[in-house]
Amino acid sequence: MSTTITADEQVSSPIKKTAAKGLTEDWWAVILGGAIIFAVILLNSNGVTFHLPSYQWSGLPDLFGKVLAPVLTPIAMQVAGIARGAWDERRARRLGVSATELNNFSGKGGALHARIDGIASSLVGLRAAPAEGDRATAVNRFVTATEPRLIDLAAAVRAAELMPTERRRAAHRAVASELDRIEPELLKLLGVSSPGPADVR
């Protein structure tokens, strides 16, 4: 004969719990910690020793050399590379050239070399552009006169690199003055009006 247990009887029946299920995490930690300590003491009393790792450095310089330097050196190199790239980009923008061309315009006269190179490139385009009549004559005369002058100015800038500071600055000012004279004529032949002081913002 089967016995039927109703839902009410199931609820009223006490739920049996084992002692292990009633322990909290804190008690488990205490029990495991105590067991480990007991095992270590027991093994030590039987002559078993444990060799823990030792970190041997004599001072802060030794600690930095053995532990910190291998970690920090690659990071420092990466940061330095990023900073150098940003600085090169800034210098390139100031000179009006690309970052890959920056090495061609190094030294104290780098900005002047960049200006001379820019004018020389414009002369090539000016000569290649179709022109007729008076304009063709003016372009040919200007290019013929300016190309050798740019060669002389570039040589002057290179020579000034080895001069004393005051003499080098005087030479750079003279070269810059020559370029200031050439650039408006170039812009005029290219069909661009040279801005006056009131037009510069």
Side-chain angles (χ1 to χ4, degrees), residues 25-189:
E25 293 181 358
D26 294 336
W27 277 109
W28 276 115
V30 171
I31 293 171
L32 290 175
I36 293 172
I37 294 173
F38 178 76
V40 171
I41 295 174
L42 180 63
L43 292 173
N44 248 349
S45 63
N46 292 329
V48 179
T49 58
F50 296 91
H51 298 283
L52 299 177
S54 60
Y55 303 96
Q56 299 177 354
W57 47 72
S58 57
L60 187 59
D62 197 26
L63 170 63
F64 181 82
K66 290 182 178 179
V67 179
L68 299 180
V71 177
L72 297 180
T73 300
I75 299 175
M77 291 179 64
Q78 186 175 6
V79 172
I82 294 172
R84 176 61 185 272
W87 174 249
D88 287 346
E89 287 288 345
R90 183 172 179 271
R91 286 182 57 209
R93 285 196 300 269
R94 289 177 57 189
L95 296 178
V97 299
S98 64
T100 56
E101 298 175 313
L102 194 59
N103 289 336
N104 298 332
F105 308 109
S106 58
K108 301 292 185 180
L112 293 173
H113 280 301
R115 289 180 67 184
I116 292 171
D117 186 76
I119 294 173
S121 299
S122 298
L123 291 181
V124 174
L126 186 62
R127 187 191 291 274
E132 298 179 356
D134 293 341
R135 186 177 185 281
T137 303
V139 167
N140 185 64
R141 183 185 303 114
F142 177 75
V143 172
T144 302
T146 304
E147 284 181 335
R149 187 58 183 153
L150 292 179
I151 295 174
D152 293 340
L153 294 176
V157 175
R158 286 193 297 271
E161 290 290 331
L162 303 177
M163 295 180 182
T165 302
E166 290 301 322
R167 191 176 299 173
R168 184 185 68 247
R169 289 177 179 173
H172 286 180
R173 284 194 295 268
V175 172
S177 179
E178 279 287 309
L179 297 177
D180 290 341
R181 180 188 62 80
I182 292 172
E183 286 170 342
E185 297 182 34
L186 174 62
L187 292 175
K188 183 178 179 181
L189 290 173

